[in-house]
């Protein structure tokens, strides 16, 4: 592969249905070996966009390429693996037989197919249960099987639509570790997920989709480094001390009431909050609080998570969702 060719590139790519749903005018460029997270509420158009990229539906407008090949072309499809959100496999087949069926679609035969099937089942944590029937698999196990099928052809680009949504916490962690390993191998990952921790842990960049439009995008680091707040739980506080703390520390200290902790009186503990540059400033506030005779019950850093960013981004916006 030519390394300077984007793995995924679109220009005003749209897929609109008669009911007005879908995605419109999506322009992005994803480099080879990059992990990209695509976020948005249900009904935002994320899955439609992915189906357009992998060639399952025909675009209404715009253009796109995968490793320089037009989306939907045979050459583009040679380089991709795809785990759909709604995966279904014949329940009377074993996991190995499902993999063998997919191997045939990839023109894999004989010993090469057997080696890849065994390695794939082991890699996703199915292992010896590959001989069990699909009807004996939990939803999480079936999702693992779908991931193994997506990886069977050793694709350069992997499209994953909610790859760990049906799994328990242990399974989700194992999938995240596998995705990080694939990323180390130079695979390009396009991850649709409602699980913010997956995107936060695995992805380099991300975009937010709402009502068919891409409304925000950037690096995960840039999205999450905006706010690092410290919270202080103090007793013996009075409102006049807030101005004193601001003046002495020259920091923007305010009231915060996490966990519905609003005081019924100023004798009760209250929460203070400040955006700080580091532990030295937190130490200064700790010292000032104690010097004024207040009781410091707790002091902790609260780093903004991707869920906070997501909720802030969609706040106040109309969302068509699943019910409209």
């Amino acid at each position: 592969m030519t390394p300077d060719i984007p793995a995924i590139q679109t220009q005003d790519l749209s897929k609109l249905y008669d009911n007005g749903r879908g995605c419109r005018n999506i322009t992005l460029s994803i480099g080879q070996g990059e992990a990209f997270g695509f976020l948005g509420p249900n009904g935002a158009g994320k899955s439609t966009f992915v189906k357009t990229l992998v060639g399952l539906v025909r675009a209404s407008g715009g253009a796109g390429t995968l490793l320089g090949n037009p989306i939907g072309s045979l050459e583009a499809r040679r380089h991709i693996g795809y785990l759909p959100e709604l995966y279904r496999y014949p329940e009377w087949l074993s996991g190995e037989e499902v993999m063998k069926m997919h191997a045939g679609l990839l023109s894999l035969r004989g010993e090469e197919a057997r080696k890849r099937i065994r390695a794939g089942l082991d890699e996703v944590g199915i292992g010896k249960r590959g001989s069990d029937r699909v009807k004996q698999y939990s939803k999480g196990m079936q999702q693992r099987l779908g991931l193994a099928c997506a990886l069977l052809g050793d694709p350069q680009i992997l499209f994953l639509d909610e790859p760990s949504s049906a799994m328990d916490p242990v399974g989700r962690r194992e999938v995240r570790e596998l995705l990080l390993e694939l990323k180390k191998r130079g695979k390009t990952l396009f991850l649709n997920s409602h699980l913010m921790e997956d995107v936060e842990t695995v992805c380099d960049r991300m975009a937010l989709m709402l009502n068919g439009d891409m409304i925000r995008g950037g690096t995960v680091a840039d999205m999450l480094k905006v706010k690092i707040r410290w919270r202080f739980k103090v007793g013996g506080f009075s409102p006049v001390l807030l101005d004193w703390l601001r003046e002495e520390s020259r920091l923007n200290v305010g009231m915060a009431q996490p966990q519905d902790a609003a005081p019924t009186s100023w004798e009760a503990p209250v929460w203070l909050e400040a955006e700080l540059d580091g532990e030295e400033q937190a130490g200064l506030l700790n010292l000032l609080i104690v010097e004024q005779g207040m009781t410091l019950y707790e002091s902790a850093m609260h780093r903004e998570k991707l869920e906070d960013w997501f909720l802030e981004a969609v706040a106040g916006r109309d969302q068509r969702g699943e019910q409209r």
Side-chain angles (χ1 to χ4, degrees):
M1 300 296 173
T2 306
D4 57 344
I5 296 177
I8 304 168
Q9 189 166 41
T10 66
Q11 181 65 45
D12 294 327
L13 190 65
S14 301
K15 173 59 182 177
L16 297 174
Y17 297 101
D18 292 341
N19 61 6
R21 296 196 177 210
C23 59
R24 63 180 64 82
N25 301 325
I26 307 299
T27 297
L28 56 79
S29 181
I30 300 170
Q32 295 182 44
E34 187 175 359
F36 190 88
F38 215 46
L39 299 173
N42 291 334
K46 305 186 306 297
S47 293
T48 295
F49 182 63
V50 170
K51 289 176 183 177
T52 307
L53 288 176
V54 301
L56 288 177
V57 298
R58 188 184 298 274
S60 304
T65 59
L66 303 180
L67 293 169
N69 305 293
I71 57 173
S73 67
L74 182 59
E75 189 58 34
R77 295 186 188 195
R78 293 184 194 280
H79 300 292
I80 66 175
Y82 174 47
L83 173 62
E85 181 181 14
L86 299 176
Y87 49 89
R88 294 291 184 271
Y89 306 108
E91 63 177 16
W92 59 87
L93 295 180
S94 69
E96 291 176 349
E97 288 169 338
V98 171
M99 291 282 281
K100 189 178 297 184
M101 179 177 67
H102 282 78
L105 295 173
L106 292 165
S107 297
L108 293 172
R109 301 285 189 274
E111 185 60 26
E112 177 65 17
R114 285 190 289 271
K115 284 172 55 179
R116 290 204 191 188
I117 289 170
R118 175 50 49 200
L121 292 172
D122 289 342
E123 190 168 40
V124 300
I126 292 180
K128 293 180 179 179
R129 290 205 59 193
S131 59
D132 292 350
R133 301 298 172 191
V134 170
K135 66 181 179 181
Q136 297 175 310
Y137 287 178
S138 66
K139 289 183 179 179
M141 285 288 287
Q142 291 185 42
Q143 203 161 29
R144 289 174 186 265
L145 178 60
L147 184 56
C149 290
L151 291 169
L152 188 58
D154 193 24
Q156 184 62 28
I157 306 173
L158 197 58
F159 291 96
L160 304 173
D161 202 343
E162 302 290 349
S164 59
S165 59
M167 296 182 187
D168 60 24
V170 174
R172 289 198 295 270
R173 183 185 64 191
E174 291 175 349
V175 168
R176 282 197 298 270
E177 291 173 352
L178 174 57
L179 295 181
L180 288 170
E181 175 59 29
L182 292 170
K183 184 177 168 182
K184 286 181 182 178
R185 296 183 205 167
K187 305 296 185 184
T188 303
L189 307 178
F190 191 100
L191 180 64
N192 268 7
S193 182
H194 288 113
L195 300 173
M196 304 296 172
E197 190 174 356
D198 289 354
V199 175
E200 191 171 343
T201 303
V202 174
C203 295
D204 307 299
R205 289 193 297 140
M206 63 184 182
L208 175 62
M209 199 166 187
L210 188 67
N211 296 341
D213 299 312
M214 195 169 73
I215 63 172
R216 283 194 184 183
T219 67
V220 174
D222 284 344
M223 296 299 104
L224 298 180
K225 75 181 182 181
V226 178
K227 296 178 181 178
I228 299 179
R229 299 186 299 272
W230 282 76
R231 287 174 176 167
F232 308 84
K233 186 179 181 181
V234 301
F237 180 81
S238 67
V240 296
L241 292 174
L242 193 57
D243 290 335
W244 181 85
L245 277 175
R246 289 170 177 164
E247 183 176 347
E248 289 295 315
S249 66
R250 299 190 178 185
L251 297 169
N252 185 20
V253 186
M255 300 290 297
Q257 303 299 340
Q259 302 172 352
D260 299 322
T264 56
S265 70
W266 291 113
E267 285 74 29
V270 300
W271 288 89
L272 303 179
E273 183 177 80
E275 291 185 19
L276 306 178
D277 291 334
E279 293 182 350
E280 289 187 4
Q281 291 182 346
L284 172 61
L285 280 177
N286 288 341
L287 177 63
L288 293 174
I289 288 169
V290 173
E291 279 186 353
Q292 280 299 306
M294 292 178 276
T295 302
L296 181 63
Y297 293 105
E298 183 179 339
S299 174
M301 182 176 66
H302 175 77
R303 186 182 298 273
E304 185 177 43
K305 293 185 177 294
L306 189 54
E307 183 176 1
D308 302 323
W309 176 89
F310 178 90
L311 293 173
E312 185 274 330
V314 301
R317 294 175 180 265
D318 179 52
Q319 298 178 44
R320 64 189 179 204
E322 295 178 321
Q323 305 301 322
R324 302 187 180 185

PDB file of all heavy atoms in Angstrom, residues 288-302:
ATOM      1  N   LEU A 288      -4.998  26.692  51.870  1.00  0.00           N
ATOM      2  CA  LEU A 288      -5.828  27.847  52.202  1.00  0.00           C
ATOM      3  C   LEU A 288      -7.119  27.436  52.906  1.00  0.00           C
ATOM      4  O   LEU A 288      -7.584  28.118  53.827  1.00  0.00           O
ATOM      5  CB  LEU A 288      -6.153  28.640  50.925  1.00  0.00           C
ATOM      6  CG  LEU A 288      -4.963  29.323  50.244  1.00  0.00           C
ATOM      7  CD1 LEU A 288      -5.392  29.947  48.913  1.00  0.00           C
ATOM      8  CD2 LEU A 288      -4.348  30.384  51.154  1.00  0.00           C
ATOM      9  N   ILE A 289      -7.711  26.344  52.458  1.00  0.00           N
ATOM     10  CA  ILE A 289      -8.944  25.853  53.088  1.00  0.00           C
ATOM     11  C   ILE A 289      -8.699  25.520  54.553  1.00  0.00           C
ATOM     12  O   ILE A 289      -9.468  25.905  55.449  1.00  0.00           O
ATOM     13  CB  ILE A 289      -9.473  24.630  52.316  1.00  0.00           C
ATOM     14  CG1 ILE A 289     -10.055  25.070  50.964  1.00  0.00           C
ATOM     15  CG2 ILE A 289     -10.537  23.883  53.127  1.00  0.00           C
ATOM     16  CD1 ILE A 289     -10.354  23.933  50.021  1.00  0.00           C
ATOM     17  N   VAL A 290      -7.609  24.808  54.819  1.00  0.00           N
ATOM     18  CA  VAL A 290      -7.295  24.416  56.197  1.00  0.00           C
ATOM     19  C   VAL A 290      -6.918  25.632  57.031  1.00  0.00           C
ATOM     20  O   VAL A 290      -7.315  25.751  58.207  1.00  0.00           O
ATOM     21  CB  VAL A 290      -6.173  23.360  56.197  1.00  0.00           C
ATOM     22  CG1 VAL A 290      -5.716  23.066  57.618  1.00  0.00           C
ATOM     23  CG2 VAL A 290      -6.650  22.081  55.516  1.00  0.00           C
ATOM     24  N   GLU A 291      -6.157  26.576  56.444  1.00  0.00           N
ATOM     25  CA  GLU A 291      -5.736  27.772  57.174  1.00  0.00           C
ATOM     26  C   GLU A 291      -6.916  28.593  57.679  1.00  0.00           C
ATOM     27  O   GLU A 291      -6.845  29.232  58.732  1.00  0.00           O
ATOM     28  CB  GLU A 291      -4.844  28.649  56.284  1.00  0.00           C
ATOM     29  CG  GLU A 291      -3.408  28.203  56.220  1.00  0.00           C
ATOM     30  CD  GLU A 291      -2.557  29.190  55.449  1.00  0.00           C
ATOM     31  OE1 GLU A 291      -3.120  30.146  54.860  1.00  0.00           O
ATOM     32  OE2 GLU A 291      -1.320  29.017  55.447  1.00  0.00           O
ATOM     33  N   GLN A 292      -8.013  28.584  56.954  1.00  0.00           N
ATOM     34  CA  GLN A 292      -9.197  29.349  57.336  1.00  0.00           C
ATOM     35  C   GLN A 292     -10.091  28.608  58.320  1.00  0.00           C
ATOM     36  O   GLN A 292     -11.192  29.066  58.619  1.00  0.00           O
ATOM     37  CB  GLN A 292      -9.995  29.725  56.089  1.00  0.00           C
ATOM     38  CG  GLN A 292      -9.432  30.924  55.364  1.00  0.00           C
ATOM     39  CD  GLN A 292      -9.439  32.168  56.232  1.00  0.00           C
ATOM     40  OE1 GLN A 292     -10.464  32.552  56.773  1.00  0.00           O
ATOM     41  NE2 GLN A 292      -8.281  32.805  56.384  1.00  0.00           N
ATOM     42  N   GLY A 293      -9.634  27.479  58.815  1.00  0.00           N
ATOM     43  CA  GLY A 293     -10.390  26.754  59.822  1.00  0.00           C
ATOM     44  C   GLY A 293     -11.463  25.848  59.262  1.00  0.00           C
ATOM     45  O   GLY A 293     -12.248  25.265  60.021  1.00  0.00           O
ATOM     46  N   MET A 294     -11.530  25.720  57.933  1.00  0.00           N
ATOM     47  CA  MET A 294     -12.477  24.784  57.351  1.00  0.00           C
ATOM     48  C   MET A 294     -11.940  23.361  57.438  1.00  0.00           C
ATOM     49  O   MET A 294     -10.730  23.148  57.565  1.00  0.00           O
ATOM     50  CB  MET A 294     -12.752  25.145  55.880  1.00  0.00           C
ATOM     51  CG  MET A 294     -13.506  26.440  55.679  1.00  0.00           C
ATOM     52  SD  MET A 294     -13.759  26.850  53.916  1.00  0.00           S
ATOM     53  CE  MET A 294     -12.197  27.642  53.534  1.00  0.00           C
ATOM     54  N   THR A 295     -12.833  22.407  57.405  1.00  0.00           N
ATOM     55  CA  THR A 295     -12.442  20.999  57.419  1.00  0.00           C
ATOM     56  C   THR A 295     -12.406  20.481  55.985  1.00  0.00           C
ATOM     57  O   THR A 295     -13.375  20.619  55.248  1.00  0.00           O
ATOM     58  CB  THR A 295     -13.437  20.157  58.237  1.00  0.00           C
ATOM     59  OG1 THR A 295     -13.511  20.670  59.557  1.00  0.00           O
ATOM     60  CG2 THR A 295     -13.004  18.701  58.278  1.00  0.00           C
ATOM     61  N   LEU A 296     -11.277  19.908  55.595  1.00  0.00           N
ATOM     62  CA  LEU A 296     -11.135  19.358  54.255  1.00  0.00           C
ATOM     63  C   LEU A 296     -11.374  17.857  54.316  1.00  0.00           C
ATOM     64  O   LEU A 296     -10.575  17.104  54.845  1.00  0.00           O
ATOM     65  CB  LEU A 296      -9.735  19.647  53.702  1.00  0.00           C
ATOM     66  CG  LEU A 296      -9.439  19.148  52.295  1.00  0.00           C
ATOM     67  CD1 LEU A 296     -10.344  19.822  51.271  1.00  0.00           C
ATOM     68  CD2 LEU A 296      -7.969  19.381  51.938  1.00  0.00           C
ATOM     69  N   TYR A 297     -12.536  17.442  53.788  1.00  0.00           N
ATOM     70  CA  TYR A 297     -12.892  16.029  53.821  1.00  0.00           C
ATOM     71  C   TYR A 297     -12.313  15.255  52.639  1.00  0.00           C
ATOM     72  O   TYR A 297     -11.967  14.083  52.762  1.00  0.00           O
ATOM     73  CB  TYR A 297     -14.414  15.862  53.798  1.00  0.00           C
ATOM     74  CG  TYR A 297     -15.117  16.368  55.022  1.00  0.00           C
ATOM     75  CD1 TYR A 297     -15.839  17.558  54.994  1.00  0.00           C
ATOM     76  CD2 TYR A 297     -15.074  15.660  56.221  1.00  0.00           C
ATOM     77  CE1 TYR A 297     -16.495  18.025  56.117  1.00  0.00           C
ATOM     78  CE2 TYR A 297     -15.726  16.114  57.353  1.00  0.00           C
ATOM     79  CZ  TYR A 297     -16.440  17.305  57.295  1.00  0.00           C
ATOM     80  OH  TYR A 297     -17.090  17.763  58.412  1.00  0.00           O
ATOM     81  N   GLU A 298     -12.239  15.927  51.507  1.00  0.00           N
ATOM     82  CA  GLU A 298     -11.847  15.207  50.289  1.00  0.00           C
ATOM     83  C   GLU A 298     -11.336  16.190  49.263  1.00  0.00           C
ATOM     84  O   GLU A 298     -11.834  17.313  49.144  1.00  0.00           O
ATOM     85  CB  GLU A 298     -13.049  14.454  49.729  1.00  0.00           C
ATOM     86  CG  GLU A 298     -12.764  13.614  48.495  1.00  0.00           C
ATOM     87  CD  GLU A 298     -13.998  12.882  48.001  1.00  0.00           C
ATOM     88  OE1 GLU A 298     -14.943  12.693  48.793  1.00  0.00           O
ATOM     89  OE2 GLU A 298     -14.006  12.515  46.807  1.00  0.00           O
ATOM     90  N   SER A 299     -10.305  15.764  48.523  1.00  0.00           N
ATOM     91  CA  SER A 299      -9.746  16.566  47.433  1.00  0.00           C
ATOM     92  C   SER A 299      -9.373  15.606  46.315  1.00  0.00           C
ATOM     93  O   SER A 299      -8.593  14.679  46.538  1.00  0.00           O
ATOM     94  CB  SER A 299      -8.519  17.343  47.921  1.00  0.00           C
ATOM     95  OG  SER A 299      -7.888  17.999  46.854  1.00  0.00           O
ATOM     96  N   ALA A 300      -9.945  15.808  45.124  1.00  0.00           N
ATOM     97  CA  ALA A 300      -9.699  14.845  44.044  1.00  0.00           C
ATOM     98  C   ALA A 300      -9.796  15.518  42.689  1.00  0.00           C
ATOM     99  O   ALA A 300     -10.570  16.463  42.504  1.00  0.00           O
ATOM    100  CB  ALA A 300     -10.692  13.692  44.129  1.00  0.00           C
ATOM    101  N   MET A 301      -9.002  15.017  41.748  1.00  0.00           N
ATOM    102  CA  MET A 301      -9.055  15.493  40.372  1.00  0.00           C
ATOM    103  C   MET A 301     -10.214  14.815  39.654  1.00  0.00           C
ATOM    104  O   MET A 301     -10.450  13.619  39.800  1.00  0.00           O
ATOM    105  CB  MET A 301      -7.741  15.186  39.647  1.00  0.00           C
ATOM    106  CG  MET A 301      -7.693  15.701  38.223  1.00  0.00           C
ATOM    107  SD  MET A 301      -6.087  15.437  37.438  1.00  0.00           S
ATOM    108  CE  MET A 301      -6.020  13.655  37.354  1.00  0.00           C
ATOM    109  N   HIS A 302     -10.936  15.595  38.873  1.00  0.00           N
ATOM    110  CA  HIS A 302     -12.041  15.075  38.072  1.00  0.00           C
ATOM    111  C   HIS A 302     -11.740  15.413  36.617  1.00  0.00           C
ATOM    112  O   HIS A 302     -11.920  16.537  36.180  1.00  0.00           O
ATOM    113  CB  HIS A 302     -13.367  15.713  38.490  1.00  0.00           C
ATOM    114  CG  HIS A 302     -14.527  15.309  37.625  1.00  0.00           C
ATOM    115  ND1 HIS A 302     -15.150  14.090  37.734  1.00  0.00           N
ATOM    116  CD2 HIS A 302     -15.158  15.962  36.628  1.00  0.00           C
ATOM    117  CE1 HIS A 302     -16.123  14.014  36.858  1.00  0.00           C
ATOM    118  NE2 HIS A 302     -16.145  15.127  36.161  1.00  0.00           N
TER     119      HIS A 302
END
